[in-house]
Amino acid sequence: MQFAMIGLGRMGANMLRRLCAGGHECVAYDTHEQARAAIAGPGVSTAATPEELIGMLVQPRVLWLMVPAGAVDAALASLTPLLAPGDIIIDGGNSYYRDDIRRAAELRSRQLRHVDVGTSGGVAGFERGYCLMIGGEAEVVEHLKPLFATLAPDSASAPRTPGRREASPGGAEQGFLHCGPHGAGHFVKMVHNGIEYGIMGAFAEGFNILRHADAGIHHDSAHADAETAPLEHPEFYQYTLDLPEIAELWRRGSVVSSWLLDLAAAALLRDPALDAYAGRVADSGEGRWTLNAAIDEAVPAPILSAALFARFGSRGQADYADKLLSAMRQGFGGHLEQGAAPPKANT
C-alpha cells in the first residue's frame, strides 16, 4: 500500500522503515531537510514541500502524521487544502482524544477521513513492532489494515491468554485493535501512558529504597542533628545491595518482570549510580489527560496521580513549596534548615 509519513523523528522514521521493509510504498516528508536526507534510500521517496508530497500520492491518499500533539493543527492546515474527497489522514502521535473528535468533524466537512492511532513501542518498535490502538470509522480502519499488520508485532510476540478462542475477533493478538469511533484510539493510549507513569514510578521508588538500605551511606551519625530524626534501628539496614544484579534477577520468573524492568536493568548495568542523568522527568500530557478523565468519571486514581505529581517535583516544581515548609517550621519553632544559612532579616 502507498502511504506518506509526515514527521521523521524518532518514531516516524523507524515506523516508515518498518513499513518500507514490509513491502509498502513509502513517501516521506519533514520540514527539516536533514531528516529527509537521513531517511532517503531504496523504496523511500522524499518530498520537499506539502505540494510535492501530495502530487506523489495516488488517490485515495493515505497520510500518516507523526508530529507532536501541538503541531497537528498546523500540519492539517497546510495539507487539507491540497487533498481530495476520500483521502485519509492518520494521526499516530499522542494527540488529546477530544482534539480527534473535533478534527474528525472538521475533516468530514471536507469529505476527508480521519483515523487516530495511539502508538506504543518507542525507539525499539522498528525491531519489536508497535502496539496500535485505533479509533475511527470501521470501513476506513479495514482499508488501512495492511499498514497496521506490518507495524504490529504479530501474535507470536506473546503467548495466547488461557481461555481465549483460537480465532478471536479483532486484531488484538496481532498487536493492533480498532477500539471504537473517533478518539477511542488516543483515549486508550492516554490511559496506557498514565499506567506507564505509575509502573515506572513504582520501579524508581523501589530501587531507591534498596539503594538506601545501607545505613552507612545516608545516615552518617557524624552528621546527626536535633532537626533530623535519626535512623531508629541502623542495625536493620546493613545491606550493600547490588542493584544491577537485583534488576537482572527480577527479569527471570518474577511477577514484576516486564520490558520496563528490562530497560531499568540495562540502565543500571551501564551506570549503577545513574550519574549520567539529572533526574528531571518530563511529561508529555497523557498523564494529565488521564487524570482529567478520572475526575470527569469520578474514578479514583491515586497511584497514577502520585506518579504524575512526582514528575512535577523532579523538575523543581516543589522547590517553592519546600521553602515555605521550612519557613513555617522556622517561624513556629525556630527550626533552621540544616546546611542552610540563617534567613536574612528584612531591612
Side-chain angles (χ1 to χ4, degrees):
M1 175 181 287
Q2 188 197 48
F3 76 101
M5 182 65 73
I6 301 167
L8 303 174
R10 292 187 302 271
M11 290 284 285
N14 276 345
M15 291 170 66
L16 184 145
R17 292 187 179 101
R18 186 175 174 92
L19 287 164
C20 184
H24 299 282
E25 183 181 346
C26 310
V27 184
Y29 172 72
D30 194 286
T31 55
H32 296 93
E33 182 180 356
Q34 185 177 6
R36 299 195 302 269
I39 202 67
V44 180
S45 303
T46 61
T49 66
E51 291 79 8
E52 183 180 356
L53 174 75
I54 299 306
M56 296 170 69
L57 299 171
V58 298
Q59 294 180 256
R61 303 176 181 93
V62 176
L63 294 85
W64 194 309
L65 301 181
M66 287 302 297
V67 300
V72 173
D73 283 327
L76 292 177
S78 67
L79 291 167
T80 52
L82 307 173
L83 299 177
D87 289 347
I88 302 168
I89 294 177
I90 305 168
D91 182 356
N94 281 327
S95 290
Y96 190 27
Y97 78 97
R98 296 187 182 186
D99 289 332
D100 292 322
I101 297 170
R102 169 180 59 82
R103 290 168 184 151
E106 292 171 352
L107 292 171
R108 189 182 303 115
S109 69
R110 295 173 174 263
Q111 296 180 277
L112 302 174
R113 320 302 286 273
H114 178 276
V115 176
D116 53 284
V117 180
T119 308
S120 182
V123 294
F126 173 70
E127 295 181 353
R128 291 169 54 97
Y130 299 88
C131 176
L132 305 174
M133 296 147 267
I134 307 163
E137 298 165 300
E139 65 272 21
V140 182
V141 173
E142 183 68 27
H143 175 73
L144 298 171
K145 269 191 176 180
L147 296 179
F148 301 146
T150 302
L151 283 171
D154 77 35
S155 59
S157 62
R160 171 168 283 132
T161 299
R164 284 186 67 93
R165 298 190 299 273
E166 287 297 314
S168 60
E173 290 187 340
Q174 284 69 50
F176 65 93
L177 181 68
H178 181 203
C179 299
H182 298 295
H186 278 146
F187 187 91
V188 174
K189 178 58 162 49
M190 173 188 78
V191 177
H192 165 284
N193 282 24
I195 294 170
E196 178 185 300
Y197 285 21
I199 296 173
M200 293 173 69
F203 275 127
E205 291 182 7
F207 275 96
N208 202 27
I209 294 170
L210 293 173
R211 182 173 182 268
H212 286 79
D214 185 344
I217 295 178
H218 295 286
H219 303 283
D220 189 345
S221 59
H223 295 91
D225 57 73
E227 296 298 325
T228 304
L231 182 63
E232 187 173 356
H233 293 288
E235 68 274 18
F236 296 145
Y237 299 94
Q238 302 293 328
Y239 306 118
T240 303
L241 300 172
D242 190 329
L243 301 192
E245 287 298 287
I246 291 171
E248 195 64 31
L249 170 69
W250 286 354
R251 295 181 63 230
R252 290 167 172 79
S254 165
V255 296
V256 300
S257 60
S258 65
W259 186 32
L260 289 174
L261 179 59
D262 295 344
L263 298 176
L268 290 168
L269 181 63
R270 291 191 306 268
D271 181 6
L274 302 176
D275 290 330
Y277 301 91
R280 296 176 60 86
V281 187
D283 74 287
S284 54
E286 299 90 339
R288 304 182 192 207
W289 302 335
T290 301
L291 293 189
N292 289 342
I295 292 168
D296 287 345
E297 298 170 0
V299 172
I303 295 171
L304 305 190
S305 62
L308 176 63
F309 293 149
R311 293 191 175 203
F312 295 167
S314 77
R315 305 197 298 267
Q317 298 298 89
D319 289 355
Y320 187 82
D322 292 340
K323 290 178 181 179
L324 186 56
L325 286 173
S326 286
M328 288 186 287
R329 289 190 80 245
Q330 195 275 333
F332 71 71
H335 304 288
L336 297 179
E337 287 184 329
Q338 298 308 300
K344 295 180 179 180
N346 292 330
T347 58

